Amino acid sequence: MKTHGVKTHGVNKRVGILALQGDFEAHAQALARAGAEPVLVRTAAGMETVDGLIIPGGESTTMLKLLELMDLKEALRRFAARRPVFGTCAGAILLAAEVRNPAQECFALLDLTVERNAYGRQIASSIAQLEPAAAFEQRAGAGTLEAVFIRAPIIRRTGPEVHVLAEYKGNPVLVEQGRHVVATFHPELTQDSRVHELFLAKISPETI
Amino acid sequence: MILNDEQFRLKVGLAEMLKGGVIMDVVNAEQAVVAEKAGACAVMALERVPSDIRKDGGVARMSPVSKIREIQAAVSIPVMAKARIGHFMEARILEALEVDYIDESEVLTPADEEHHIAKRDFKVPFVCGARNLGEALRRIAEGAAMIRTKGEAGSGNIVEAVRHIRTIVKEMKHLTILGKEELVHEAKILGAPLDLVEWVAQHGRLPVPNFSAGGIATPADAALVMQLGAEACFVGSGIFKSEDPEARARAIVKAATYFNDPAKLLEASEELGMAMPGLDIAKLPEGELMQTRGW
């Protein structure tokens, strides 16, 4: 377990996890380890009570369907206009500007083109040890990052305002643009809380 | 211990991604597309849905390869498929087909009346049914990365799924109050490996996701098993044997997410057609039960 991260990032921060479908419980545990207060969010009213929001791993098509059925799309856009959002895997797909394989609706919080299931089916899922960029290590702490890829998407294009924080086999896998963060892997399925801490540091008096 | 193995973590990882969702039985690409559009988090490919297997009789086998390929081509969500209990060669074929999960299922006619598949040797993950904690832990020891209740498939009757989830949860609670020497004795009674029994005693839950299946036919059924501790549900005959499969599929997806919100469950339960016809399990002859297959 990495202990270099600054544990004070999470103190007193209420962070929502969109709990429509997926591994929201794993994110709740990761947030608690990083020192924040996790809140499962399933309604627009619930979204209004948190300072940051995580869109977890799961099936992006299922999440989109429920966002539509429950009238949550506008609430998510309003939320993201001021407050930080962090997407992992399916969450990364929802936050992108363009989705391929197949094309589907997304929220364009980051200037990314994302290809779904780009490594292949479950049999191609893997765990990799990444060497994160210096920008990540300076802010979150040094050391390799264990990345769990499950039917993961690949980021095929990053816009000029996107900063790459880690790559795997030449493709960006952890990126940020302004207050939003995207990982194509699952930091919530490891004991290393540095990626969550990096996200928590984006919640500031200006974003609340 | 198997739980720390890298391959096993990946298998459990996909099951984690399916939580809070609904996995729907489909027999062809057309049904798979309906399921995906309604918000299914995965589909299960099979030759016939359980209620038809029950009605038609005969030997129920793995789905034809052409049907599975057709379903894989039609949807972007995970595609699972069923293999017969103990039929490790059906499983090898499904693995070569790159299905995302294999269900070693009592719904099909068992191929081996003594042994289940040695599931650790596979790269593709397995889900298995269980009626109690001992059965669940034996399957995990063999390599299953997800457990589901057996319920009574194709019955449209939730009573058996409720019995099985309640039994598993109660047996887990019981373990958490026992001392070390008592756990050894309990492992013997459960017929389960001691290291897994100790893990459950320490954590109060299964070491893999715990889903429910077998008899879910309405949004209320899905919410009930989620309230009792299931983390996602499988719906077999309940969708495509109902009057309006699209509306029912959407409603059950909604119910799995909002299982704790009666107002939203009411919304989900409105404007649905007729549910599938149900069977009184107490009146089924012993030989027609599917849940007693597997050991």
Side-chain angles (χ1 to χ4, degrees):
Chain A
M1 202 205 310
K2 304 293 188 301
T3 52
H4 314 287
V6 184
K7 296 289 180 193
T8 51
H9 282 162
V11 172
N12 295 328
K13 289 175 180 171
R14 265 174 72 84
V15 179
I17 306 144
L18 190 68
L20 299 178
Q21 191 272 320
D23 73 334
F24 44 85
E25 288 289 352
H27 271 291
Q29 287 163 20
L31 280 173
R33 281 196 297 271
E37 182 194 346
V39 180
L40 299 184
V41 167
R42 296 186 171 99
T43 60
M47 225 182 267
E48 285 309 312
T49 69
V50 295
D51 306 326
L53 186 68
I54 294 181
I55 319 272
E59 280 308 310
S60 60
T61 51
T62 304
M63 292 183 204
L64 269 177
K65 186 74 204 176
L66 284 160
L67 284 168
E68 183 191 304
L69 278 178
M70 307 313 293
D71 270 335
L72 289 171
K73 287 182 184 174
E74 202 38 52
L76 177 57
R77 283 195 193 94
R78 267 203 316 276
F79 184 90
R82 203 176 79 225
R83 285 157 291 189
V85 181
F86 171 29
T88 61
C89 196
I93 295 165
L94 291 189
L95 300 192
E98 187 197 0
V99 178
R100 296 182 187 157
N101 187 37
Q104 68 185 38
E105 190 184 347
C106 45
F107 288 84
L109 301 191
L110 294 93
D111 189 8
L112 304 171
T113 298
V114 172
E115 182 183 336
R116 290 182 60 202
N117 301 327
Y119 296 93
R121 298 180 183 280
Q122 170 63 11
I123 213 153
S125 291
S126 66
I127 298 179
Q129 303 299 325
L130 309 179
E131 296 303 329
F136 176 86
E137 296 199 319
Q138 279 155 17
R139 282 151 59 195
T144 54
L145 196 55
E146 186 182 52
V148 182
F149 292 97
I150 294 173
R151 283 174 47 95
I154 289 181
I155 297 172
R156 293 295 186 193
R157 182 195 61 85
T158 55
E161 286 171 41
V162 173
H163 297 287
V164 177
L165 297 173
E167 289 187 345
Y168 173 58
K169 291 185 176 170
N171 293 306
V173 293
L174 176 63
V175 301
E176 63 179 346
Q177 180 177 345
R179 62 189 171 278
H180 304 311
V181 183
V182 146
T184 61
F185 59 94
H186 295 283
E188 73 278 15
L189 295 184
T190 70
Q191 295 298 310
D192 184 345
S193 52
R194 285 176 297 162
V195 179
H196 284 82
E197 285 162 17
L198 179 118
F199 171 66
L200 291 174
K202 290 184 178 291
I203 300 171
S204 69
E206 293 84 67
T207 66
I208 291 173
Chain B
M1 188 177 186
I2 186 174
L3 305 177
N4 304 320
D5 172 71
E6 185 169 306
Q7 212 37 259
F8 194 71
R9 282 178 63 204
L10 284 169
K11 293 172 178 178
V12 172
L14 179 55
E16 291 285 341
M17 299 308 143
L18 299 171
K19 283 186 178 176
V22 182
I23 301 146
M24 301 183 192
D25 277 2
V26 298
V27 300
N28 56 39
E30 191 191 342
Q31 288 186 354
V33 170
V34 170
E36 185 180 46
K37 282 196 176 146
C41 67
V43 289
M44 173 75 71
L46 72 177
E47 189 190 15
R48 289 171 285 169
V49 293
S51 66
D52 285 338
I53 292 173
R54 196 176 279 291
K55 202 167 63 194
D56 302 347
V59 174
R61 309 181 181 90
M62 176 185 97
S63 176
V65 168
S66 61
K67 283 285 174 201
I68 298 171
R69 280 196 196 284
E70 174 190 312
I71 291 164
Q72 284 175 318
V75 296
S76 64
I77 54 179
V79 176
M80 306 185 177
K82 287 185 193 286
R84 280 178 267 178
I85 289 174
H87 205 318
F88 55 85
M89 289 321 293
E90 278 189 350
R92 284 293 177 199
I93 292 168
L94 293 174
E95 182 177 53
L97 249 175
E98 299 191 2
V99 302
D100 295 292
Y101 242 95
I102 296 175
D103 185 358
E104 185 183 17
S105 179
E106 70 283 0
V107 168
L108 306 185
T109 310
D112 188 322
E113 295 192 334
E114 204 163 343
H115 310 96
H116 280 253
I117 297 170
K119 294 170 274 287
R120 292 186 193 207
D121 300 345
F122 287 73
K123 213 176 164 201
V124 65
F126 279 82
V127 50
C128 287
R131 294 188 296 166
N132 53 53
L133 184 59
E135 201 174 2
L137 295 182
R138 285 193 293 278
R139 297 294 86 79
I140 295 167
E142 290 159 358
M146 183 202 298
I147 292 297
R148 57 168 176 76
T149 58
K150 285 181 169 172
E152 187 57 37
S155 70
N157 187 339
I158 197 67
V159 66
E160 295 302 304
V162 167
R163 189 193 318 280
H164 299 161
I165 194 92
R166 278 206 186 270
T167 302
I168 291 171
V169 169
K170 188 169 71 186
E171 288 176 327
M172 290 195 295
K173 278 185 195 157
H174 175 61
L175 289 186
T176 64
I177 58 165
L178 297 182
K180 280 181 194 163
E181 58 280 78
E182 290 171 306
L183 290 176
V184 178
H185 179 66
E186 198 63 26
K188 186 180 80 178
I189 294 171
L190 289 170
L194 179 60
D195 58 349
L196 290 176
V197 170
E198 285 172 337
W199 197 98
V200 173
Q202 200 186 336
H203 297 85
R205 61 177 176 86
L206 287 182
V208 303
N210 186 11
F211 291 6
S212 188
I216 297 166
T218 68
D221 289 345
L224 177 62
V225 292
M226 301 285 287
Q227 287 285 351
L228 293 176
E231 296 170 298
C233 11
F234 287 82
V235 185
S237 324
I239 288 172
F240 289 100
K241 287 291 166 189
S242 73
E243 198 174 67
D244 183 351
E246 279 184 61
R248 186 159 296 264
R250 261 199 316 273
I252 294 178
V253 166
K254 216 161 137 179
T257 298
Y258 295 96
F259 66 92
N260 222 357
D261 187 335
K264 293 209 162 49
L265 288 172
L266 169 63
E267 270 172 45
S269 306
E270 280 184 281
E271 292 168 35
L272 284 179
M274 287 296 288
M276 70 177 283
L279 296 174
D280 182 352
I281 290 163
K283 290 188 182 138
L284 284 182
E286 184 72 26
E288 285 182 22
L289 290 178
M290 290 174 172
Q291 60 177 284
T292 50
R293 298 164 167 180
W295 11 92

